[in-house]
Amino acid sequence: MIVLGIETSCDETAAAIVSSEGDIIAETVLSQLEDHRPFGGVVPEVAARAHLEYVDVVVSKTMAKADLSFHELDAVAATGGPGLIGGVIVGIMTAKAIAASCNLPFLAINHMEGHALSARLSKAGKVPFPYLLLLISGGHCQLLNVKGCGKYKRLGTTIDDALGEAFDKTAKMLGIGYPGGPAVEAAAKKGNAARFALPRPMKGRPGCDFSFSGLKTAVRHIALELPEGPFLKTDIADLCAGFQVAAGDVLADRTNNALDIIISDHPCGNSLVVAGGVAANQFLRKRLQILANKRSVELIAPPISLCTDNGAMIAWAAIERIQDVGMSQAQDNLNFRPRPRWPLDPDAPKAAFAGIKA
Ligand code: KG4
Ligand code: ZN
């Protein structure tokens, strides 16, 4: 089976063709970085217009690389949400148009499900269900029990900001560029993490929820007290290192609580998967590896190209669904409506600590 996946929910216009054997036959990721850089962050309207301009080129280029025509595909999938709605509409309409004109099945994929299943996209063999997923991206920070394809139980979520958002704002406050995550990681390499006292929001509390707004505010207060003018390189490095260590401590603490729940429910489920754009961070991966070693679970992190937004994870999530329930049940109607919000676990209770500021 060969599926085309299209991803347009944020600031990457991406497409990929993936086989049911887990082979990424061809892929293209066009970053809109330069379109958004002047604004220091993703501007939804700019993103939507850029997706509209780039999506045809990205899809055609991917088809050409694979040397395939649309008629040779088994299905077309696109991110149906959650995400910036203008971009999602562009991707969904493109997939619908290809599906309608070539009489192919169309699938709308939850963007978070794409991230959740990306660790199973491997020719080397799939990570078995169930596993604990730590999904850390620009828009989400969640711990999920991935019981099977389409079977997700949310154990915790952020009560305010996503971790990627905190990375991006930290970089913006320090004037070190956009996107913030890679900039903070690079700056932190030479920093002294112990110099500034930063909070570890939610650490030590029961449950698996997160909070990052207090950490972001603490960075702001420290930055405001630094000497005026362009920040010194050492100040930036120390603050980034302190921020990253605090974020790592919080992730490890909350994930440790989630492992308690998963291991008591499924003594055999012994994998911890970390996915989403922030999972590209090598320091945080090492921090989670320490936790995994301590808890005797295997840490699985997809390759960095699969951590940040991409079309392959969308095509793969479609393949998983088709394999799980069969094509006729897996496909969506062409009147599917793009969704700005689309919880992976619709039954999840509200964050237990909602309203409490760290
Ligand atoms: O999953 P993703 O590509 O898009 C969303 O669905 O949000 O994640 C983007 C986020 C951004 O906040 C970006 O700064 C962050 O992932 N990110 C990183 C790193 N690379 C990307 N954060 C920390 N360290 C990195 N190396
Ligand atoms: Zn994402």
Side-chain angles (χ1 to χ4, degrees):
M1 185 167 36
I2 295 174
V3 173
L4 168 67
I6 301 173
E7 159 57 39
T8 54
S9 67
C10 191
D11 59 342
E12 260 98 25
T13 315
I17 297 163
V18 178
S19 77
S20 43
E21 284 76 42
D23 200 5
I24 302 174
I25 298 166
E27 66 175 328
T28 313
V29 179
L30 203 153
S31 166
Q32 300 178 0
L33 219 69
E34 296 313 320
D35 297 283
H36 299 286
R37 201 189 295 282
F39 307 97
V42 180
V43 183
E45 179 70 20
V46 173
R49 286 165 190 254
H51 285 303
L52 199 56
E53 193 181 329
Y54 303 148
V55 75
D56 284 353
V57 180
V58 165
V59 170
S60 324
K61 225 173 147 179
T62 309
M63 297 302 296
K65 279 187 211 166
D67 198 18
L68 287 171
S69 76
F70 290 135
H71 291 281
E72 291 172 275
L73 299 171
D74 292 286
V76 188
T79 298
L84 302 176
I85 197 62
V88 178
I89 290 173
V90 171
I92 282 289
M93 287 312 295
T94 306
K96 282 182 180 180
I98 298 167
S101 60
C102 300
N103 204 17
L104 291 169
F106 155 78
L107 287 90
I109 300 295
N110 184 309
H111 179 80
M112 292 194 284
E113 183 169 40
H115 280 303
L117 300 176
S118 63
R120 286 166 53 83
L121 169 48
S122 159
K123 278 192 284 184
K126 295 175 186 168
V127 181
F129 296 123
Y131 52 81
L132 175 62
L133 172 75
L134 171 64
L135 177 55
I136 36 178
S137 71
H140 303 279
C141 189
Q142 302 199 342
L143 279 157
L144 291 151
N145 178 356
V146 181
K147 298 176 182 181
C149 176
K151 299 184 189 85
Y152 310 100
K153 184 168 167 38
R154 199 181 77 189
L155 304 174
T157 186
T158 179
I159 62 169
D160 40 53
D161 298 325
L163 182 52
E165 145 83 12
F167 264 97
D168 292 337
K169 286 284 151 54
T170 295
K172 197 170 178 182
M173 286 185 277
L174 296 174
I176 56 172
Y178 161 84
V184 170
E185 182 175 18
K189 284 206 171 100
K190 290 191 184 133
N192 167 15
R195 177 170 157 209
F196 298 112
L198 286 161
R200 269 77 173 148
M202 307 297 265
K203 190 177 168 196
R205 293 192 192 199
C208 308
D209 290 333
F210 299 89
S211 163
F212 290 105
S213 68
L215 178 57
K216 209 171 72 175
T217 307
V219 169
R220 182 165 180 270
H221 285 151
I222 293 170
L224 286 173
E225 279 166 22
L226 291 172
E228 277 193 41
F231 295 118
L232 295 176
K233 271 199 170 151
T234 48
D235 291 344
I236 292 173
D238 293 348
L239 200 40
C240 286
F243 168 84
Q244 214 172 232
V245 171
D249 283 353
V250 171
L251 287 186
D253 179 77
R254 315 316 289 162
T255 307
N256 188 46
N257 286 0
L259 283 171
D260 286 340
I261 298 170
I262 293 269
I263 292 169
S264 67
D265 275 7
H266 316 276
C268 55
N270 58 2
S271 306
L272 163 61
V273 171
V274 57
V278 184
N281 186 292
Q282 296 301 320
F283 172 83
L284 294 179
R285 283 188 183 208
K286 281 189 198 134
R287 185 70 185 80
L288 292 167
Q289 185 63 61
I290 295 169
L291 171 71
N293 294 347
K294 206 170 111 198
R295 297 299 306 259
S296 306
V297 296
E298 190 186 354
L299 176 72
I300 295 157
I304 288 174
S305 58
L306 276 181
C307 281
T308 47
D309 290 348
N310 63 87
M313 69 181 192
I314 302 305
W316 179 251
I319 289 171
E320 290 252 26
R321 196 202 296 172
I322 296 163
Q323 286 178 333
D324 193 39
V325 298
M327 187 66 91
S328 57
Q329 220 184 304
Q331 66 181 306
D332 285 291
N333 204 297
L334 284 184
N335 66 9
F336 172 89
R337 278 190 182 205
R339 304 172 185 176
R341 289 174 202 279
W342 188 358
L344 209 43
D345 173 5
D347 302 326
K350 284 212 159 66
F353 287 91
I356 296 179
K357 285 280 168 219

